[in-house]
Amino acid sequence: MPQRPYVLLSAAVSADGYIDDATADRLVLSAPDDLDRVDEVRAGADAILVGAGTIRADNPRLLVRSAARRAARAAAGRPASPVRVTLTSRGGLDPAARFFTAEAGTAVEAASLGEAGEAAGAGGAGERIVYAAGPVAQRVREQLSGTSAAVVDLGAAGLDAILADLGGRGVEQLLVEGGAGVLTGFLAGGLADELQLMVAPFFVGGGVRMTRPGAYPHGPGNPMKLADVGRLGDAVLLRYLLSGRRPG
């Protein structure tokens, strides 16, 4: 069985722990130098995962922005940007979202957990993968008809099954960028290997916190290991190790 990918969580929070405020506008937490750092992290990943809520709220492209980094990936025989991955329990994904339309293909694929084939290669025909809970998988497949997304019926399985499936598709390093529910799932489930946390130099005072209430393996009795601290202007970058594993 393929080893599960190395899971790197990347998040930016305010000084009081929020990833978004209570307004309808998107909260910008990262300065340009941090955005460039995140782009470098993306360039090192095989796949990027965000929750469906992040696609609805932020409409991200999830592409490597730097032309030089895209060229370096291509020179190494890799796709210009990592495979894009999302998961949904209720569907409602817009096929016009940039997750699907940036470099969009034409045909939607049906797939199941562990299914090999053209969609299985990282960066191949399945460069967008949507994991859908069993009851809504067929509806999601119909909603995304005409996109290049591989819709995978997750059944009742969880994040560990997604990691196993991605490992089988050749993904060695997975970058997880949110949102709160997804970050909570990986952290509470003990499925994260590394956390890169950028702390912005201001307070928000309310909104969406980085994680939700739950039982976390890295509590006061088992703290994370601080591997590095970096300064980005007046912001700070904290790099924590959670599992002892190393990137492939």
Side-chain angles (χ1 to χ4, degrees), residues 85-124:
V85 183
T86 191
L87 64 158
T88 181
S89 61
R90 63 181 180 88
L93 288 164
D94 183 356
R98 292 187 294 193
F99 178 94
F100 302 107
T101 59
E103 304 177 352
T106 56
V108 67
E109 294 188 55
S112 59
L113 284 177
E115 180 180 353
E118 196 176 21

Side-chain angles (χ1 to χ4, degrees), residues 55 58-63 84 86 93-107 127-130 143-149:
I55 294 175
D58 296 340
N59 196 22
R61 289 186 177 90
L62 301 182
L63 301 175
R84 280 158 277 182
T86 191
L93 288 164
D94 183 356
R98 292 187 294 193
F99 178 94
F100 302 107
T101 59
E103 304 177 352
T106 56
E127 67 173 327
R128 297 163 189 82
I129 303 174
V130 180
Q143 291 170 343
L144 299 180
S145 176
T147 76
S148 63

Side-chain angles (χ1 to χ4, degrees), residues 90-234:
R90 63 181 180 88
L93 288 164
D94 183 356
R98 292 187 294 193
F99 178 94
F100 302 107
T101 59
E103 304 177 352
T106 56
V108 67
E109 294 188 55
S112 59
L113 284 177
E115 180 180 353
E118 196 176 21
E127 67 173 327
R128 297 163 189 82
I129 303 174
V130 180
Y131 291 97
V136 302
Q138 182 56 38
R139 185 167 78 246
V140 171
R141 199 167 287 134
E142 293 169 358
Q143 291 170 343
L144 299 180
S145 176
T147 76
S148 63
V151 178
V152 179
D153 186 346
L154 192 58
L159 293 176
D160 52 349
I162 290 177
L163 292 179
D165 191 62
L166 288 173
R169 294 169 185 269
V171 174
E172 296 182 0
Q173 180 158 318
L174 174 66
L175 173 61
V176 179
E177 295 191 1
V182 171
L183 295 172
T184 297
F186 278 98
L187 289 168
L191 297 172
D193 299 299
E194 180 176 335
L195 170 63
Q196 294 188 10
L197 185 65
M198 196 284 294
V199 183
F202 53 79
F203 297 90
V204 171
V208 181
R209 290 197 176 275
M210 175 183 154
T211 56
R212 297 171 179 170
Y216 292 88
H218 290 284
N222 183 34
M224 300 180 293
K225 180 179 179 181
L226 182 62
D228 196 16
V229 179
R231 182 172 179 174
L232 298 165
D234 291 321

